Amino acid sequence: MTAPPAAAVEIRRLTFADLPQVVAVERRAFSTPWSLAMFVLELSKPSGICLAAQTETELVGYLVCSRYDTVWHVMNVAVDPDRRRRGIATALIGALLDRVGPEAQLTLEVRRSNGGAIALYERFSFRSAGVRRRYYADNGEDAVIMWRTPATLRGTLDDVPGT
């Protein structure tokens, strides 16, 4: 079965009732998946933004973003492996940016080897600002630290912490 185009996917608030489907996608998407407790904790934070990508019949992706003071930290973006490359992650990130507004500062970590995700984030004006050495416990891979700020939208890194 082929995945629906992103236009056929509704982006909505993630709920506790979604967690069985979220955990199933998480286990298919990542070699070191989050636990159910981690998702419960993130959904419990009143300042966070948790989004679901839903077709008519199933949850196909999600995004978890926490707010720390004035910075939003994109904690987890996942799309079911059978549904990738269909614009679902793009729709999730676009919906997040609509909610946080143009002046928001956002950061995230991404595996250095995940060129597809890095390219996706760069399309949304995230820029590399450093590396977290041996960040990923499963294989010791480095994480690229990326930021999206008003300056990265202008094409500079002037207000990016650590640069």
Side-chain angles (χ1 to χ4, degrees), residues 100-156:
V100 300
E103 296 299 312
Q105 293 187 80
L106 294 98
T107 189
L108 57 84
E109 293 88 12
V110 59
R111 286 181 186 267
R112 182 176 269 181
S113 65
N114 195 344
I118 291 169
L120 170 67
Y121 299 135
E122 286 175 341
R123 286 195 304 273
F124 283 100
S125 298
F126 281 85
R127 297 295 175 255
S128 175
V131 172
R132 292 196 198 285
R133 301 270 179 230
R134 302 191 52 76
Y135 182 76
Y136 292 96
D138 63 331
N139 64 0
E141 184 173 357
D142 295 344
V144 176
I145 304 164
M146 300 186 82
W147 282 86
R148 183 183 191 273
T149 68
T152 66
L153 294 172
R154 294 188 305 273
T156 70

Side-chain angles (χ1 to χ4, degrees), residues 11-16 18-19 22 34 38-53 59 61-67 72-73 75-76 92 95-96 99-100:
I11 305 298
R12 60 170 176 76
R13 188 175 150 267
L14 191 69
T15 68
F16 289 104
D18 294 320
L19 290 182
V22 165
W34 280 18
M38 292 169 79
F39 284 106
V40 169
L41 175 65
E42 291 302 323
L43 272 172
S44 299
K45 294 178 180 177
S47 64
I49 297 175
C50 300
L51 302 173
L59 186 141
Y62 52 87
L63 179 148
V64 176
C65 186
S66 291
R67 186 172 182 164
W72 292 94
H73 188 167
M75 307 288 288
N76 196 331
L92 284 163
L96 171 66
R99 285 165 172 80
V100 300

